[in-house]
Structures are given as structure tokens and as C-alpha cells.
């Protein structure tokens, strides 16, 4: 059996996460039992939610156990199979974690899914046509529920979730406005992702300055907002929300180091009768087929052109992950393993 390099969570972060929280180990892959398959991972997904899992605190999902392989989505191919539904060479997506190989009980519902790479590159099944894309779809379609002509805004607009959100919103006849960090990302949002406008939050020192920029980009106010960040950005958006606006809360990356994120003007939720709903996309598996079909179509027809930042080799995962938390990535952050 092949050697397998893995990255474990060695200790929990005290405040900001560091490379020393992780440990690289090497071992043998166990022999397969009936019903199992051995998957060789080609790409590993790095996502902001992983930072929350590193803490030993109450959250929507169990904490990442110490001494175990870091959780994470993977795409790859079947290297060996003792399951009649999977053949060697099948391309698959799963939750193999931060390692080069995984042994998967393929009979477990949702553990592994075959994918077609004819029109959609394998890596995109971890981004635009995977969990991040479905996350954008659910927040937009099921919570914001926009009408043609509505103005919708998304923070972290050029990330894996935000870029899919822009394409999905434009397909529904909305004015799509992004918030991102830096002029290069804002240029990409408008010129390649099709956003109507994009605001560089780094140019604004406080919520009032950012709210003024939002007023210029959203002259008719904001009908729907998709939240990935929290903090000052959410405070600024609340100042521009229309009555009966909808806010889908998916991430609070500004607070992943454990510091509380107070709201400056919570009364605006009442004044504007806002609907604010948090969600976890894995709790809504019933929408995945419909969402993935639309996202696959958007990618195949060139209406969604996702970008990827790719780190090379399993050992690079911790540094790449810490860079993601600081916004150093452009589009979906991946680690290439093959």
C-alpha cells in the first residue's frame, strides 16, 4: 500500500492560528475492507470554516479533534476499490481531509460522489461546482430570494463563495455589488466575474466611510446581503439596507480568532424589519442536485469563470490556510497533491 502524508491538528490556537498548530506525519494506508475504496487526492480544499473547527468551543459542528487529520474537502481518483459501484480511475469528491490518500467506506451516504470532468475541471468541484458554490446558491435563492432588479451585496466577493454568488445573482436579473480587499480583486470582480460594482473595504477606516461608498454603488439601497465577514462591513451594510431586506449569514471570518464581534446598530434590524438568517449548507442536502446543476451550467457556458490559488504539496497546506484567513488568496484556495 502507498505511503500517506497527513497533516494533523497538533494543538489549539491561542488567539491567531499559526503553523505550529499543525504537524506533518507519514504512515501506511490500511488495507481495504469490503465496500471500501482507496482515493488518491489530487486537490485539497482550504476553507475559512476550518479555523472555527480548530477552537475547542461550542459551534454548529464538533471541534476538530487533536492528533487527527485536519478536516477538509478533497477531489481525486479511485486508486483501488472493493466496492462494485466504484472503479479504479473514477473521479470522486469527498471529505478526505488534509492527506494524500483516504480510505472511504463508500456505502456511507454522502461519503463519496462521482463527478464528470468533461466540461468542468476536477478542481472546480471543490469551489464553484462544490460546497462553496452551493453555499452561495442557498443563501441567495432560499434566504435572500431576490426579484429581478433587486440590489444584492456580498462580502469576500472574489472568494469561492462570493464569485459564485455574483454569477447566480446576475442570472436572476439583480444588480450585484461586491466588497473585496484591494484594487486587483475589485477589478477582477467587475471585469471577469460580472459584478456591477465592487468596493475595496481597505480604503475605508470606519463603517460610515464604507456606508457612503455603498450608497454610491447601491443608489436604490440594498435588498439582500450575503455575509461572509462580519465586523465593520456588516455595520456599514446595515446602514444601507432597505426595509424588509434579507441577510444570509454564512461566515464571520473577522471573528474566527475568538474575539466577540459586537454590532454597532442592532436596532436597524427592527427599524427596517430585516430577516437575518444563519445557515450551514451541509444541513440542506436536498438542494444540492438543483444547485450543482445550475452552477455546472454557469461554468460550462463561461458565465462563471472562477479563479484558483494553488499551493503545491501537502506540506504547504498550513501556510496556505493562514494566508487564506488574511485574504492573500485570489478565488478558491487549493492545495495540489498530484
Amino acid at each position: 500500500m502507498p505511503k500517506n502524508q497527513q497533516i494533523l491538528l497538533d494543538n489549539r490556537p491561542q488567539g491567531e492560528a499559526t503553523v505550529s498548530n499543525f504537524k506533518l506525519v507519514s504512515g501506511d494506508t490500511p488495507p481495504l475492507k469490503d465496500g471500501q475504496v482507496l482515493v488518491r487526492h489530487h486537490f485539497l480544499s482550504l476553507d475559512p470554516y476550518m479555523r472555527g473547527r480548530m477552537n475547542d468551543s461550542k459551534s454548529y459542528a464538533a471541534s476538530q479533534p487533536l492528533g487527527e487529520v485536519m478536516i477538509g474537502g478533497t477531489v481525486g481518483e479511485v486508486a483501488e476499490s472493493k466496492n462494485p459501484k466504484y472503479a479504479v480511475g473514477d473521479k470522486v469528491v469527498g471529505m478526505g481531509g488534509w492527506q494524500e490518500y483516504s480510505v472511504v467506506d463508500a456505502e456511507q451516504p454522502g461519503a463519496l460522489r462521482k463527478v464528470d470532468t468533461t466540461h468542468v475541471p476536477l478542481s472546480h468541484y471543490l469551489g464553484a461546482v462544490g460546497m462553496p458554490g452551493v453555499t452561495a446558491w442557498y443563501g441567495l435563492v432560499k434566504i435572500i430570494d431576490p426579484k429581478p432588479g433587486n440590489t444584492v451585496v456580498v462580502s469576500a466577493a472574489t472568494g469561492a463563495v462570493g464569485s459564485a454568488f455574483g454569477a447566480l445573482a446576475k442570472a436572476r436579473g439583480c444588480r450585484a455589488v461586491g466588497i473585496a480587499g484591494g484594487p486587483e480583486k475589485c477589478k477582477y470582480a467587475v471585469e471577469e466575474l460580472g459584478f456591477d460594482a465592487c468596493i475595496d473595504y481597505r480604503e475605508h477606516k470606519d463603517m460610515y466611510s464604507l456606508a457612503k461608498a455603498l450608497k454610491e454603488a447601491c443608489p436604490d439601497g440594498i435588498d439582500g446581503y450575503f455575509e461572509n465577514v462580519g465586523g465593520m462591513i456588516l455595520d456599514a451594510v446595515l446602514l444601507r439596507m432597505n426595509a424588509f431586506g434579507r441577510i444570509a449569514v454564512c461566515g464571520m471570518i473577522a471573528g474566527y480568532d475568538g474575539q466577540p464581534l459586537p454590532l454597532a446598530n442592532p436596532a436597524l434590524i427592527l427599524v427596517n424589519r430585516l430577516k437575518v438568517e444563519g445557515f450551514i449548507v451541509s444541513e440542506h442536502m436536498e438542494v444540492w442536485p438543483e444547485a450543482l446543476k445550475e452552477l455546472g451550467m454557469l461554468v460550462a457556458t463561461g458565465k462563471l469563470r472562477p479563479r484558483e490559488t494553488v499551493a503545491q504539496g501537502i506540506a504547504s497546506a498550513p501556510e496556505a490556510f493562514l494566508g487564506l484567513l488574511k485574504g492573500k488568496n485570489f478565488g478558491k484556495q487549493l492545495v495540489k497533491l498530484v
Side-chain angles (χ1 to χ4, degrees):
M1 298 294 278
K3 283 281 183 197
N4 185 24
Q5 289 201 97
Q6 307 171 311
I7 290 184
L8 317 179
L9 181 63
D10 187 55
N11 56 82
R12 301 204 186 278
Q14 305 299 315
E16 204 170 293
T18 66
V19 172
S20 63
N21 297 135
F22 304 97
K23 184 180 183 183
L24 178 66
V25 299
S26 183
D28 295 319
T29 53
L32 296 185
K33 297 173 184 161
D34 286 344
Q36 292 184 329
V37 298
L38 177 69
V39 180
R40 186 182 188 189
H41 302 150
H42 288 206
F43 290 94
L44 162 64
S45 175
L46 298 179
D47 300 279
Y49 77 83
M50 297 170 177
R51 177 62 188 84
R53 296 278 184 97
M54 291 170 73
N55 297 335
D56 188 16
S57 56
K58 183 182 182 297
S59 186
Y60 57 82
S63 295
Q64 164 73 37
L66 291 177
E68 292 190 15
V69 175
M70 271 293 288
I71 187 171
T74 48
V75 288
E77 67 178 302
V78 175
E80 190 185 333
S81 177
K82 284 198 173 180
N83 188 302
K85 294 174 192 166
Y86 292 88
V88 170
D90 281 350
K91 300 293 189 287
V92 290
V93 59
M95 289 293 284
W98 293 22
Q99 55 183 343
E100 293 173 322
Y101 290 87
S102 62
V103 173
V104 184
D105 180 359
E107 292 301 323
Q108 219 176 336
L112 214 55
R113 180 167 59 89
K114 280 191 230 183
V115 292
D116 182 1
T117 55
T118 314
H119 302 294
V120 177
L122 182 61
S123 59
H124 284 8
Y125 286 103
L126 291 175
V129 195
M131 182 268 290
V134 180
T135 299
W137 190 96
Y138 188 89
L140 179 71
V141 176
K142 297 297 184 182
I143 297 176
I144 295 172
D145 186 23
K147 306 293 176 277
N150 277 182
T151 296
V152 295
V153 176
V154 61
S155 53
T158 60
V161 175
S163 53
F165 181 92
L168 292 163
K170 291 310 292 177
R172 284 159 178 76
C174 297
R175 177 172 175 79
V177 175
I179 301 172
E184 194 189 349
K185 286 185 177 180
C186 286
K187 186 169 184 259
Y188 165 66
V190 174
E191 292 182 3
E192 287 189 54
L193 293 176
F195 279 89
D196 295 287
C198 186
I199 297 163
D200 180 359
Y201 72 85
R202 291 180 183 166
E203 290 183 356
H204 303 281
K205 293 284 180 276
D206 58 45
M207 65 174 170
Y208 298 108
S209 171
L210 184 55
K212 189 180 173 197
L214 281 164
K215 187 176 183 178
E216 288 169 14
C218 310
D220 298 325
I222 300 169
D223 301 297
Y225 176 53
F226 191 106
E227 178 62 285
N228 286 310
V229 177
M232 179 189 90
I233 292 177
L234 177 55
D235 287 331
V237 170
L238 282 172
L239 291 169
R240 301 302 317 147
M241 289 296 297
N242 288 332
F244 304 105
R246 289 83 61 200
I247 299 177
V249 183
C250 162
M252 287 278 175
I253 199 169
Y256 278 157
D257 288 338
Q259 295 303 312
L261 286 180
L263 268 180
N265 293 299
L268 290 169
I269 297 170
L270 170 62
V271 171
N272 287 321
R273 288 85 81 208
L274 301 178
K275 173 187 173 183
V276 182
E277 185 175 334
F279 74 100
I280 307 302
V281 75
S282 57
E283 295 175 349
H284 304 282
M285 297 309 290
E286 74 284 353
V287 308
W288 281 57
E290 183 187 353
L292 289 170
K293 188 178 175 188
E294 182 177 356
L295 290 157
M297 205 62 168
L298 287 171
V299 169
T301 56
K303 288 177 181 164
L304 171 53
R305 293 185 294 186
R307 266 174 78 164
E308 298 171 335
T309 299
V310 183
Q312 299 292 329
I314 189 74
S316 70
E319 283 280 12
F321 175 63
L322 298 176
L324 163 79
L325 296 178
K326 289 186 158 47
K328 291 181 181 174
N329 61 304
F330 217 118
K332 175 71 194 175
Q333 178 67 60
L334 298 166
V335 180
K336 193 171 192 291
L337 302 174
V338 171

